[in-house]
Amino acid sequence: MKGVTIGDVAAASGVSPTTVSHVFSGRRPINATTRQHVEEVARRLGYRPNGVAQSLRTRRTNTVMVVVPDITNPFYPDFARGVQDVVGPAGYHCLFCNTDAREAEELALLEVAMSRRLDGLIFNGFRVPDSELLPVTEAGLAVVNLGSVPLPDSTIDSVCFENPPAIAEATRFLVERYGPSIAFIYAEAEARVGKVRRAGFEEACRELGVRLGPDDVVLTEFTRDGGVEGMRRLLDRPDPPRSVQCANDMIAFGAMDVARERGLRIPEDVAIVGFDDVFPATLVSPRLTTVRTDARRFGAEAGRLLLSRMTGEYDGAGRHVVIPHELVVRESA
Amino acid sequence: MKGVTIGDVAAASGVSPTTVSHVFSGRRPINATTRQHVEEVARRLGYRPNGVAQSLRTRRTNTVMVVVPDITNPFYPDFARGVQDVVGPAGYHCLFCNTDAREAEELALLEVAMSRRLDGLIFNGFRVPDSELLPVTEAGLAVVNLGSVPLPDSTIDSVCFENPPAIAEATRFLVERYGPSIAFIYAEAEARVGKVRRAGFEEACRELGVRLGPDDVVLTEFTRDGGVEGMRRLLDRPDPPRSVQCANDMIAFGAMDVARERGLRIPEDVAIVGFDDVFPATLVSPRLTTVRTDARRFGAEAGRLLLSRMTGEYDGAGRHVVIPHELVVRESA
DNA sequence: CTGTTAGCGCTTTCAT
DNA sequence: ATGAAAGCGCTAACAG
């Protein structure tokens, strides 16, 4: 345990704490000789500013938190890199946190963000209602939410993809190419992402006149294992679907695992499409047809919104930005 | 900006700040009626403990930082999950930070960890010498380092794989199966990982009597793009190697991209092996032969060491734990 | 260019 | 079972 405080440095160099403080912060002119001397003494004593005390005084931390549901899904690390790309150069540190899509974790991290007086929060919540973010803005943090419905009357910015149209486009493609025997594997039925992607799929089917049976929409997890499980259920049916739309790429990878394990050819026997265009999509064979949502750009956009609030450049009502998506047709469908 | 402090709550409920504090911390018995009343008032006022002030007093944050070079390489998210798996249930929050393998970032994050008085640090540094971790322990943090050489006379624990033997085993496999025409693609020549993996490769070659030419060891980045670049250099030679050992899976994926793009069959024309056994290794086709190092378990082990120090259960000299590895032969070699 | 003073919001002896 | 008072280490008025 170091015990060297600004006072120790001040005493040892014969100046006031204020001067030492200013030597470090550069917030007011200091005589060059004094400065050198103080710096020298500080180094010798091994002085290290106490950021906690600084924050208590200044109410700033130069730190932002990025909360994601599953750091293990390559979409989120890419997203995180996107925000770091923009807030890092502006002098903010990025802390990434993983909730495992558990409500308790989500809530706990909101508390941490407020309690530690972070400057900003980029939140991708699955379980917690958006309204939980209100206290966070009230606590003085800049916040940007990932999600399609901006919270009215708030100063919370949001970023999203047009989920329903994006899924719908893929679904249309699948039906046109492989006919009406189609199924959907998704996850998080209670969460916005889940709902909204399912809605996109069902809406497209309705428009195309495709009748969905009760087994055509299967609920699982947003992981490769989830995809395995979902696909098994589909392929165990007496009338397995000709094509399957997955709510994200991880699910699609699992689905492909099962198809392969059963000796089915993709797309000749089953066509599969994913969502996200995560990097392994071009690794898997056949390469995955999916909807590109450009995680990194998504993150960068979120970072820009956050930054503009933290710097005070903007402080009006919540803004909403929609990131474009694109169906990228490869070989799996 | 909320302004509700413990004092406000105290005033509004007619008790002392001390009592309010104890109501929240539970660190001393409080009359049930008083407690209820205080809690009620606190809720009504929207009181939220200020974690920064708490930390300034208590010198604890219940927070640990995990620093990794590239959050975009699936190895690290898995590793991070491993540490979260063990320290999370013990009541610590995990902050993941990405350095991009840049020295300035590594240093900056060490400063943040010390300055914010975090309780623990798990550090995977590429550029910064291990000795930079000494001040961190002196600042009172528990620290575990990822790397094969424990820092003597320190209280820094370390976790590692036996890199040279692991690479050597793979190399031996390659040479026995495909002969002496072998090359190595790696990265971070100046960093420990880089050095140590290269050493493993060269050592194995020496033992096997394989003569390495100057172009047989190529230096690039630890990414898929790095693999692309490295493999191109290899395949542009008049005498391309029969097999290539890659220093991690991301490089191997890039190498496979190039082989495929040039119409080479894997492993019939070039055999490729990776290192890490990251999840896409079983997605790519042919599936990647690689050295499994079990990132999640690795992280969990690091977490356990850290935890035992943070709880005070252990506080002796630096421990060193070696995680087993295993060559998993799939189809790419 | 430098110093004095007063807290930031909380926890913790030490009393009662 | 409860309070009063003293800081944790730092910065920001306000003086010179």
Side-chain angles (χ1 to χ4, degrees):
Chain A
M1 245 0 140
K2 274 283 180 41
V4 189
T5 77
I6 213 171
D8 300 334
V9 177
S13 43
V15 299
S16 74
T18 309
T19 298
V20 178
S21 171
H22 284 101
V23 164
F24 280 87
S25 71
R27 296 183 55 61
R28 90 182 181 191
I30 299 280
N31 177 299
T33 327
T34 315
R35 138 165 287 128
Q36 266 194 330
H37 180 224
V38 170
E39 278 169 348
E40 156 61 18
V41 170
R43 195 168 318 114
R44 187 158 48 70
L45 262 43
Y47 168 69
R48 237 168 250 295
N50 181 328
V52 176
Q54 289 176 318
S55 294
L56 182 58
R57 244 343 287 240
T58 62
R59 306 165 158 290
R60 311 202 70 251
T61 51
N62 297 310
T63 301
V64 313
M65 182 185 267
V66 179
V67 176
V68 303
D70 182 10
I71 201 181
T72 259
N73 174 344
F75 182 85
Y76 294 106
D78 278 348
F79 174 84
R81 282 307 317 268
V83 355
Q84 187 170 11
D85 286 345
V86 354
V87 309
Y92 290 89
H93 295 284
C94 279
L95 309 177
F96 305 125
C97 297
N98 185 252
T99 61
D100 247 334
R102 286 182 296 116
E103 178 170 27
E105 274 304 318
E106 295 185 344
L107 247 20
L109 289 175
L110 293 182
E111 276 298 331
V112 171
M114 288 187 278
S115 151
R116 300 245 87 84
R117 295 299 191 263
L118 302 189
D119 296 331
L121 172 72
I122 294 183
F123 189 70
N124 194 329
F126 266 34
R127 293 291 159 77
V128 137
D130 287 348
S131 58
E132 291 288 342
L133 293 175
L134 258 13
V136 183
T137 56
E138 275 153 27
L141 285 80
V143 0
V144 0
N145 188 27
L146 270 60
S148 25
V149 268
L151 204 55
D153 300 324
S154 76
T155 54
I156 299 173
D157 296 321
S158 62
V159 191
C160 77
F161 305 115
E162 294 184 301
N163 273 292
I167 284 275
E169 184 180 343
T171 300
R172 221 152 26 230
F173 166 82
L174 238 25
V175 171
E176 277 162 14
R177 206 177 251 203
Y178 304 99
S181 171
I182 190 172
F184 184 61
I185 308 181
Y186 81 125
E188 297 293 335
E190 305 305 321
R192 203 175 35 230
V193 233
K195 283 214 234 321
V196 116
R197 292 201 182 156
R198 174 178 183 159
F201 174 74
E202 291 180 335
E203 170 65 16
C205 287
R206 200 169 312 118
E207 274 174 14
L208 294 160
V210 171
R211 295 281 286 270
L212 257 18
D215 299 338
D216 289 330
V217 170
V218 348
L219 179 64
T220 177
E221 307 280 303
F222 267 136
T223 59
R224 187 173 175 182
D225 283 347
V228 167
E229 192 239 338
M231 190 63 163
R232 288 216 174 110
R233 266 151 63 197
L234 252 20
L235 296 187
D236 283 344
R237 287 169 20 178
D239 60 331
R242 177 64 186 82
S243 72
V244 4
Q245 168 72 54
C246 303
N248 81 353
D249 287 348
M250 295 303 281
I251 290 179
F253 296 142
M256 292 178 82
D257 288 338
V258 176
R260 220 175 295 126
E261 135 201 325
R262 306 225 172 164
L264 264 28
R265 291 160 309 161
I266 305 169
E268 292 79 1
D269 298 318
V270 236
I272 295 177
V273 354
F275 195 96
D276 280 347
D277 197 22
V278 114
F279 87 86
T282 54
L283 234 36
V284 76
S285 172
R287 294 181 309 141
L288 186 66
T289 292
T290 187
V291 179
R292 170 177 302 148
T293 50
D294 201 339
R296 192 135 173 184
R297 173 171 173 190
F298 195 33
E301 201 53 58
R304 261 186 292 275
L305 289 172
L306 195 73
L307 197 55
S308 70
R309 276 189 194 276
M310 293 191 302
T311 60
E313 180 198 308
Y314 178 84
D315 77 336
R319 294 161 290 179
H320 183 57
V321 357
V322 175
I323 304 289
H325 60 263
E326 172 194 8
L327 176 65
V328 358
V329 179
R330 290 198 269 248
E331 303 146 4
S332 73
Chain B
M1 248 349 146
K2 273 283 180 39
V4 188
T5 78
I6 213 170
D8 299 335
V9 177
S13 44
V15 299
S16 73
T18 311
T19 298
V20 179
S21 171
H22 287 302
V23 165
F24 281 87
S25 71
R27 295 182 56 60
R28 90 182 181 189
I30 298 280
N31 177 298
T33 327
T34 315
R35 138 165 287 127
Q36 266 193 330
H37 180 225
V38 170
E39 278 168 348
E40 155 62 17
V41 170
R43 195 168 317 113
R44 188 159 46 70
L45 262 43
Y47 168 70
R48 237 168 251 296
N50 181 329
V52 176
Q54 288 177 318
S55 294
L56 181 58
R57 253 330 298 237
T58 63
R59 305 164 159 289
R60 310 203 70 250
T61 51
N62 297 309
T63 300
V64 313
M65 182 184 268
V66 180
V67 176
V68 302
D70 182 12
I71 202 181
T72 260
N73 174 344
F75 181 84
Y76 294 106
D78 277 349
F79 174 85
R81 283 307 316 266
V83 354
Q84 185 169 14
D85 286 344
V86 356
V87 309
Y92 290 89
H93 295 284
C94 279
L95 309 177
F96 306 125
C97 297
N98 185 254
T99 61
D100 246 334
R102 285 182 296 115
E103 179 170 27
E105 272 305 320
E106 296 185 343
L107 248 20
L109 288 174
L110 293 182
E111 277 297 332
V112 171
M114 289 186 278
S115 152
R116 300 244 86 84
R117 295 300 192 261
L118 302 189
D119 296 331
L121 172 72
I122 295 184
F123 190 70
N124 195 328
F126 265 34
R127 293 293 159 75
V128 137
D130 288 347
S131 57
E132 291 287 344
L133 293 174
L134 258 13
V136 184
T137 56
E138 275 154 25
L141 285 81
V143 359
V144 1
N145 187 26
L146 270 60
S148 25
V149 268
L151 203 55
D153 301 324
S154 76
T155 55
I156 299 173
D157 296 321
S158 63
V159 191
C160 76
F161 306 115
E162 295 184 299
N163 274 292
I167 283 274
E169 184 181 341
T171 300
R172 223 155 20 233
F173 167 82
L174 238 24
V175 171
E176 276 162 13
R177 206 177 252 206
Y178 304 99
S181 171
I182 190 173
F184 185 60
I185 308 180
Y186 81 126
E188 296 293 334
E190 305 305 320
R192 201 176 37 231
V193 233
K195 283 214 238 314
V196 114
R197 294 202 180 155
R198 174 179 183 157
F201 174 75
E202 291 180 335
E203 171 64 15
C205 287
R206 201 169 311 118
E207 274 174 14
L208 294 161
V210 171
R211 295 279 285 271
L212 257 17
D215 299 338
D216 290 330
V217 171
V218 349
L219 178 65
T220 176
E221 307 280 304
F222 267 137
T223 60
R224 187 172 175 182
D225 283 346
V228 167
E229 192 240 338
M231 190 64 162
R232 287 215 175 111
R233 265 151 64 198
L234 252 21
L235 295 187
D236 283 343
R237 286 170 18 181
D239 61 330
R242 177 64 185 81
S243 73
V244 4
Q245 168 73 53
C246 302
N248 81 353
D249 287 349
M250 295 302 281
I251 290 179
F253 296 143
M256 292 179 81
D257 288 336
V258 176
R260 220 175 294 126
E261 134 200 326
R262 305 223 174 166
L264 263 29
R265 291 160 310 160
I266 306 168
E268 293 79 0
D269 299 317
V270 236
I272 295 177
V273 355
F275 195 96
D276 280 346
D277 196 22
V278 115
F279 87 86
T282 55
L283 233 36
V284 76
S285 173
R287 292 182 309 140
L288 187 67
T289 291
T290 187
V291 179
R292 170 177 303 147
T293 49
D294 201 339
R296 192 136 173 181
R297 174 171 173 191
F298 194 33
E301 201 53 59
R304 263 187 290 276
L305 290 172
L306 195 74
L307 196 55
S308 69
R309 276 189 194 276
M310 293 191 301
T311 59
E313 180 198 309
Y314 178 84
D315 76 335
R319 294 161 291 178
H320 184 58
V321 357
V322 175
I323 304 289
H325 60 264
E326 173 194 6
L327 177 66
V328 358
V329 179
R330 290 200 269 247
E331 303 146 5
S332 73

